[in-house]
Amino acid sequence: MTVTTEMKSRLIEEIQEWKIKRNAVLLAHNYELPEIQDIADVLGDSLALARAAVTTDAEVIVFCGVHFMAETAAILNPEKTVLLPDLEAGCSLADSITASQLREWKAQHPGAVVVAYVNTTADVKAESDYCCTSSNAVDIVRSIQEDQEILFLPDMFLGSFVKKETGRENMHIWMGECHVHAGIAPHQVETVITQYPEAELLVHPECGCSTSSMYLMSEGVLPEEKTHILSTGNMLKHSKTSSATEFIVATEVGIIHQMEKQNPDKRFIPANREAICPFMKMITLEKVLAALKENKHVITVPPETAKKAKLAIDRMISIG
């Protein structure tokens, strides 16, 4: 069914009413549908949303993102109600490693410190020493003693980026990937750069083109001053402060909505127009309203798992 402008307005009005009734806050990721981004109380990347979940006074957190994000909010707020409007909103990257696989990997490297990207399940976080996001992964790895062996998981592209930035030879990387970011290929980026030679290139470190972008920068193929490997939050900051008027964006295309809102006089070109995460597009206005009215769907984490996972998450929030 097509949702008309009038229907959207009514839905938004009703959502605002129910937010007041429930003393609820709406947190949304930068990749969500435009109409979800527009009604969010807090819009951001995983780190910003985790910090917002800690500081909110609301009794109910409606998380417009994917399952692992809602789990993280539930771990940080055991006394609050955390709702995920669609239980099917998962993550291919989080699915690329299980807790049992991590335990096996740890057994092969006794004494290693485990750094887990926040895109992981609560069970995996509970087996980890640190969590990180793309915006503070380098800072977290640098905070660990240089002679300490590190297991970094699950994203191989982010891991490769962090390893290069820190120069850590004793860092092992799990071979997982986000299928959307992995699909942004180097040849696609090079084609768009040829079409827009004056544009700055903004690359998310999860992308399949991130490693090649670093290599091409070192070889002088990509101009270093115009190529930036950034988290989604830092992409937004950079696009606001840069004097450039055109940007090629190598990440999930949902972020371009916010970029265009914040910079109406600038142009943003997706490196791959098909880089769309189906999980991030599952949450709609209708589902947000149903979550508030019907308490759908409450996300909980077993206390023992939450206790262990919280140690790693707290370290993530405190660094970078």
Side-chain angles (χ1 to χ4, degrees):
M1 182 181 71
T2 303
V3 179
T4 65
T5 302
E6 185 180 349
M7 290 168 66
K8 278 186 180 179
S9 296
R10 286 204 303 269
L11 283 166
I12 292 168
E13 187 177 334
E14 201 168 351
I15 286 168
Q16 301 300 346
E17 290 171 359
W18 274 92
K19 274 173 51 184
I20 295 168
K21 287 180 186 178
R22 298 291 309 275
N23 186 16
V25 64
L26 188 63
L27 308 184
H29 193 272
N30 292 319
Y31 296 156
E32 289 291 306
L33 292 169
E35 56 264 33
I36 298 298
Q37 293 187 37
D38 290 345
I39 64 167
D41 297 302
V42 180
L43 180 68
D45 58 15
S46 298
L47 182 58
L49 296 178
R51 286 177 170 152
V54 172
T55 57
T56 183
D57 293 326
E59 295 174 13
V60 176
I61 297 171
V62 181
F63 216 112
C64 298
V66 293
H67 196 274
F68 77 80
M69 296 178 182
E71 272 190 336
T72 301
I75 290 166
L76 293 170
N77 297 277
E79 75 291 353
K80 298 182 188 296
T81 299
V82 177
L83 304 176
L84 181 64
D86 192 325
L87 281 179
E88 297 301 311
C91 174
S92 62
L93 180 55
D95 289 342
S96 69
I97 187 168
T98 64
S100 61
Q101 287 174 318
L102 176 52
R103 284 191 289 269
E104 289 175 14
W105 199 27
K106 287 165 67 175
Q108 295 166 18
H109 300 273
V113 169
V114 178
V115 179
Y117 192 26
V118 73
N119 297 44
T120 45
T121 64
D123 289 337
V124 168
K125 290 181 175 73
E127 293 288 336
S128 305
D129 299 295
Y130 292 82
C131 280
C132 70
T133 69
S134 55
S135 60
N136 71 354
V138 170
D139 290 334
I140 283 176
V141 169
R142 281 180 175 154
S143 75
I144 298 167
Q145 278 189 292
E146 288 187 11
D147 60 350
Q148 176 66 62
E149 190 176 19
I150 293 175
L151 304 182
F152 188 96
L153 62 99
D155 189 82
M156 60 183 175
F157 298 113
L158 178 61
S160 296
F161 170 72
V162 172
K163 188 170 184 176
K164 182 179 184 300
E165 287 292 296
T166 60
R168 293 293 287 256
E169 292 302 321
N170 56 353
M171 180 172 150
H172 308 283
I173 301 168
W174 187 263
M175 293 291 103
E177 63 179 30
C178 159
H179 71 282
V180 176
H181 280 111
I184 303 176
H187 73 272
Q188 293 170 325
V189 175
E190 290 179 40
T191 297
V192 181
I193 287 172
T194 302
Q195 295 170 346
Y196 301 92
E198 299 304 313
E200 287 194 348
L201 173 62
L202 309 182
V203 181
H204 193 284
E206 275 184 45
C207 287
C209 62
S210 63
T211 305
S212 64
S213 294
M214 288 187 289
Y215 173 76
L216 292 172
M217 276 195 291
S218 67
E219 293 295 302
V221 177
L222 290 179
E224 192 168 345
E225 71 279 2
K226 291 168 67 175
T227 305
H228 309 277
I229 300 176
L230 302 166
S231 67
T232 54
N234 285 325
M235 282 185 180
L236 287 166
K237 290 177 186 174
H238 180 82
S239 62
K240 286 175 72 174
T241 58
S242 172
S243 59
T245 58
E246 289 186 333
F247 300 85
I248 297 164
V249 183
T251 190
E252 210 275 355
V253 297
I255 197 172
I256 291 178
H257 173 67
Q258 208 55 219
M259 289 175 161
E260 290 175 338
K261 278 185 68 176
Q262 294 178 0
N263 308 278
D265 56 337
K266 298 181 180 181
R267 185 176 188 182
F268 298 91
I269 306 104
N272 179 353
R273 296 182 185 279
E274 302 303 313
I276 300 170
C277 175
F279 299 116
M280 284 286 189
K281 308 308 184 205
M282 286 183 169
I283 294 174
T284 61
L285 293 174
E286 293 94 331
K287 290 176 183 177
V288 171
L289 180 58
L292 286 164
K293 292 173 72 172
E294 303 169 35
N295 219 40
K296 294 167 63 174
H297 302 270
V298 178
I299 302 300
T300 59
V301 178
E304 190 57 32
T305 301
K307 182 180 178 182
K308 292 177 181 177
K310 189 174 184 297
L311 294 173
I313 295 167
D314 284 343
R315 287 171 176 162
M316 173 188 77
I317 291 172
S318 67
I319 297 175

